Amino acid sequence: MPFSIKLWIFIQLLWRPRPPSFLTPEKEEEIAKNLKKYSKKYEAEIKDVSLQQSEQEREKRRILKEDWEKWVNEWKLMHEEEKLESQNLRDREASDKEEEYEAKDIEVEEEVVEVNKEILHFEYERECGSEVCNLLDWSLW
């Protein structure tokens, strides 16, 4: 049994004419004749601009890399200073390895002294249409 599929048919095409050119027909012919010359000229300009942009990108990356290296060196220097300080605190023993640390468990006992349960009442007013409703006796749970 054959089947059919309904397709939407494109039934309208609105044509928008091009506006008239600002160039004279002679100038258009000249441009068409010298198109290769113009394209070489503009391709060279585009190439110069792209080289300049790539140089700027390289400079930005170089600056970012220098900043990163400066930051890393500062942190390494700070780590070395902290390492020397911690060695001084441990009587010149160098032990920055985690395996050399000793962990102690400390048990803390807590004692509950007193528990009070108190119900607080609040007065809250709000407008209900034209009249004012008083909500009283709100208690905390």
Side-chain angles (χ1 to χ4, degrees):
M1 176 179 236
F3 62 92
S4 64
I5 299 174
K6 291 186 179 183
L7 297 175
W8 290 98
I9 300 172
F10 184 69
I11 57 173
Q12 184 178 19
L13 176 66
L14 296 176
W15 182 257
R16 196 173 79 189
R18 290 185 178 182
S21 175
F22 292 116
L23 300 174
T24 62
E26 294 84 23
K27 188 69 175 173
E28 286 180 2
E29 287 177 18
E30 180 187 336
I31 291 172
K33 287 179 185 175
N34 299 325
L35 191 59
K36 288 184 181 180
K37 181 179 84 172
Y38 291 127
S39 65
K40 287 179 184 177
K41 174 185 169 187
Y42 291 119
E43 284 176 6
E45 287 182 16
I46 290 171
K47 188 175 180 180
D48 291 342
V49 169
S50 65
L51 283 174
Q52 184 180 10
Q53 288 176 344
S54 65
E55 288 174 6
Q56 290 173 349
E57 285 294 319
R58 274 188 257 131
E59 182 65 22
K60 284 181 187 177
R61 288 184 188 139
R62 186 188 62 78
I63 290 171
L64 287 172
K65 185 178 178 184
E66 287 176 358
D67 289 345
W68 171 255
E69 290 172 352
K70 179 182 173 187
W71 183 79
V72 168
N73 289 333
E74 287 176 3
W75 276 99
K76 285 181 180 178
L77 181 65
M78 190 173 74
H79 176 69
E80 287 298 320
E81 290 173 357
E82 288 178 355
K83 184 177 178 181
L84 291 173
E85 188 176 322
S86 65
Q87 282 180 355
N88 288 336
L89 291 173
R90 287 183 300 229
D91 299 325
R92 304 275 182 215
E93 289 183 28
S95 64
D96 280 346
K97 297 179 182 173
E98 253 186 61
E99 299 88 33
E100 297 178 10
Y101 289 121
E102 184 179 317
K104 294 181 181 178
D105 290 330
I106 300 174
E107 290 186 25
V108 178
E109 291 184 26
E110 294 182 13
E111 183 178 335
V112 178
V113 178
E114 186 176 334
V115 176
N116 290 334
K117 184 175 181 180
E118 186 175 336
I119 298 175
L120 301 174
H121 298 282
F122 293 100
E123 185 174 322
Y124 179 73
E125 294 181 358
R126 66 181 176 119
E127 289 187 25
C128 298
S130 62
E131 61 187 43
V132 175
C133 301
N134 290 327
L135 300 175
L136 300 175
D137 295 331
W138 281 29
S139 60
L140 296 177
W141 299 10

